Amino acid sequence: MPIYQAEKITKQELKSTELGKTLLEKVTPKKELNKLAQFYIENYLTVTGNERFKTCGNYFEFLTNRELSVRKVHKSNSCGNRFCPLCTWNTAKKDAIKISVLLQAVREEKEQEFIMLTLTAPNCSPVNLKDEIDKFNKAFKKLFDRRNVKKVVNGYMRKLEITTDQEPKITKELYKKKQAYFKKRGLGENDSNPQYNTYNPHFHVILAVNKSYFNDTKIYISRDEWLEMWQECMDDERITQVDVRKVRSSEKSENGAVLEIAKYSAKGNEIYHSKAVFDVFYRALKGRQLLTYNGIFKEYLAKFKKGELDKYKKKDENEYTHLLQSFWKTSKYENVLRQLSKEELEEYNQRAKFIEESNEI
Ligand SMILES: [Zn+2]
């Protein structure tokens, strides 16, 4: 077996390449965030747990080519903690492919159409967040046990997301974003923000319905009816924000829905805002199921896991000829590139025949 010389790759060489961009713009900021999160999570983990969290992402192997124009994670040391920025990113990228495959398979084999439903409620205080999520779960169950809903929904995928507002004063950007809300209350830029330190849990849901649903006025549920039912189930008439839309079969529409369900339950700039904010998120999310599959989607998830839906996965057409090893050294990755041996080339390319991670996240 020939021995291939490994060569160091400089930041300058990396900069203009696809793999380099992934490393510098995606992996490195997440590793930096992991370093910050270490201090926040320290008290909650055992000595071993902390060690795993700290060393997460210290080592990556990417399959690539000489030009570094293609990339695929081959190996990495990951901690698997749901509060780790690197691991939540990894999960979201995989979930995006999984959800997209499930939609295609269910659409084709079960002739289903999809609806994107977003269920929200007014913001709550940090101390009430945990109870509020429990309330959401109960209300959701009530809603989907209703006869008219049960009759049309053949399954759902549901994601819990929590956002928080950590601006003490109304900034220019914040005013722009929620202009209607502030105007109604006679508030302007630089005023105290009434939503400061409040939290907003909400559900993003994809529903599967029969094709005939949209043309059958007897069973069709309008946006106003969804809103009214959600108000009743939550026992809260203040709720005004319910969004319902059909997921069209265009790639753009479907992709948008996939990303809503696959993306993080908490945004990185929010959950790691401060130790106090992290504690609120941690207590609210710990041990909770964040992504739920039901009915037809649960059935197809089992097929997905058994590899029965591989035909819906996109083929990875890239040829991987090289291996880039990235080692985390205090504040940046040091990278070494080498050619794959003949045996590795065959084995790794065979293993990499499908696209398993979305590059859009
Ligand atoms: Zn991790």
Side-chain angles (χ1 to χ4, degrees):
M1 189 174 122
I3 296 164
Y4 294 106
Q5 192 68 41
E7 51 175 318
K8 270 196 172 172
I9 301 289
T10 63
K11 193 174 171 183
Q12 208 50 41
E13 287 171 279
L14 275 179
K15 258 184 175 168
S16 54
T17 68
E18 278 304 310
L19 174 53
K21 277 184 209 152
T22 302
L23 252 175
L24 298 169
E25 293 165 20
K26 291 192 169 176
V27 184
T28 305
K30 288 188 170 62
K31 180 60 197 169
E32 281 163 358
L33 216 46
N34 163 281
K35 278 180 82 177
L36 175 68
Q38 285 167 26
F39 296 103
Y40 296 162
I41 204 163
E42 214 171 7
N43 298 340
Y44 297 112
L45 300 181
T46 61
V47 175
T48 324
N50 271 309
E51 197 47 39
R52 280 172 63 100
F53 197 95
K54 277 181 187 166
T55 52
C56 184
N58 274 2
Y59 177 65
F60 273 95
E61 277 185 5
F62 296 93
L63 294 177
T64 186
N65 54 17
R66 182 64 197 88
E67 297 75 36
L68 306 177
S69 62
V70 293
R71 77 267 196 222
K72 182 165 215 150
V73 177
H74 180 60
K75 260 185 207 163
S76 70
N77 65 321
S78 51
C79 70
N81 190 296
R82 71 159 53 167
F83 296 96
C84 167
L86 285 155
C87 290
T88 43
W89 177 52
N90 197 23
T91 306
K93 284 192 302 176
K94 288 191 173 131
D95 282 348
I97 298 293
K98 191 194 292 177
I99 291 160
S100 161
V101 166
L102 293 184
L103 288 184
Q104 282 179 65
V106 168
R107 192 192 282 282
E108 254 184 68
E109 294 177 14
K110 296 282 180 174
E111 297 189 349
Q112 297 290 292
E113 292 281 348
F114 308 113
I115 298 169
M116 186 82 216
L117 176 68
T118 308
L119 299 168
T120 67
N123 288 17
C124 67
S125 68
V127 286
N128 288 333
L129 180 59
K130 209 167 170 268
D131 291 344
E132 182 72 5
I133 298 171
D134 291 336
K135 191 179 163 195
F136 259 70
N137 283 335
K138 280 189 198 127
F140 187 89
K141 196 179 175 306
K142 263 192 205 165
L143 178 64
F144 282 80
D145 274 344
R146 290 205 168 196
R147 202 143 40 112
N148 60 332
V149 176
K150 251 187 167 168
K151 204 169 168 182
V152 297
V153 174
N154 298 318
Y156 59 77
M157 293 186 273
R158 186 191 76 190
K159 184 62 166 272
L160 169 68
E161 190 187 346
I162 302 170
T163 53
T164 182
D165 191 338
Q166 292 298 326
E167 293 287 359
K169 284 197 186 311
I170 302 171
T171 60
K172 201 173 175 180
E173 294 86 65
L174 192 58
Y175 187 79
K176 254 194 195 160
K177 225 169 87 185
K178 296 182 183 172
Q179 208 163 352
Y181 173 86
F182 292 131
K183 259 191 182 159
K184 215 165 116 189
R185 282 155 187 82
L187 295 167
E189 272 174 47
N190 291 322
D191 282 339
S192 292
N193 176 11
Q195 295 203 312
Y196 170 57
N197 202 25
T198 60
Y199 288 75
N200 185 266
H202 52 274
F203 284 139
H204 294 288
V205 197
I206 294 180
L207 311 175
V209 294
N210 295 342
K211 272 186 175 163
S212 57
Y213 166 77
F214 296 97
N215 305 318
D216 191 340
T217 48
K218 283 202 285 298
I219 57 167
Y220 183 81
I221 303 169
S222 70
R223 187 254 170 201
D224 288 348
E225 287 169 292
W226 281 112
L227 175 61
E228 203 185 313
M229 287 192 290
W230 182 237
Q231 284 177 338
E232 283 168 12
C233 294
M234 283 288 281
D235 192 22
D236 190 345
E237 283 184 4
R238 297 173 306 155
I239 297 172
T240 54
Q241 304 294 314
V242 164
D243 192 77
V244 196
R245 58 192 69 195
K246 185 178 175 181
V247 179
R248 287 181 304 276
S249 58
S250 74
E251 208 177 313
K252 198 179 162 219
S253 177
E254 205 157 288
N255 227 358
V258 166
L259 293 180
E260 287 279 29
I261 303 290
K263 71 180 189 188
Y264 317 117
S265 286
K267 293 186 179 82
N269 59 346
E270 297 191 353
I271 186 170
Y272 310 113
H273 181 270
S274 65
K275 168 75 173 143
V277 171
F278 180 81
D279 285 342
V280 175
F281 273 103
Y282 187 88
R283 282 194 284 262
L285 292 177
K286 192 181 180 291
R288 228 181 258 283
Q289 198 163 17
L290 306 176
L291 176 57
T292 317
Y293 299 87
N294 163 279
I296 214 167
F297 288 121
K298 197 171 173 184
E299 192 189 308
Y300 269 74
L301 178 65
K303 285 177 192 263
F304 179 92
K305 285 179 181 165
K306 280 189 247 165
E308 289 171 16
L309 304 182
D310 281 356
K311 61 180 174 214
Y312 295 101
K313 287 185 186 167
K314 280 206 182 84
K315 289 242 164 33
D316 190 340
E317 310 281 2
N318 296 322
E319 214 210 341
Y320 300 105
T321 53
H322 286 67
L323 189 79
L324 186 86
Q325 293 173 296
S326 305
F327 305 88
W328 182 254
K329 297 280 160 72
T330 319
S331 62
K332 63 176 196 305
Y333 284 102
E334 280 181 14
N335 303 289
V336 177
L337 184 71
R338 73 164 171 85
Q339 208 177 328
L340 294 174
S341 73
K342 195 168 164 283
E343 291 78 15
E344 285 173 327
L345 192 126
E346 262 175 42
E347 193 197 324
Y348 296 172
N349 279 284
Q350 172 62 22
R351 239 199 272 169
K353 63 181 172 182
F354 296 119
I355 294 176
E356 313 268 6
E357 293 183 356
S358 165
N359 282 327
E360 289 187 53
I361 291 181

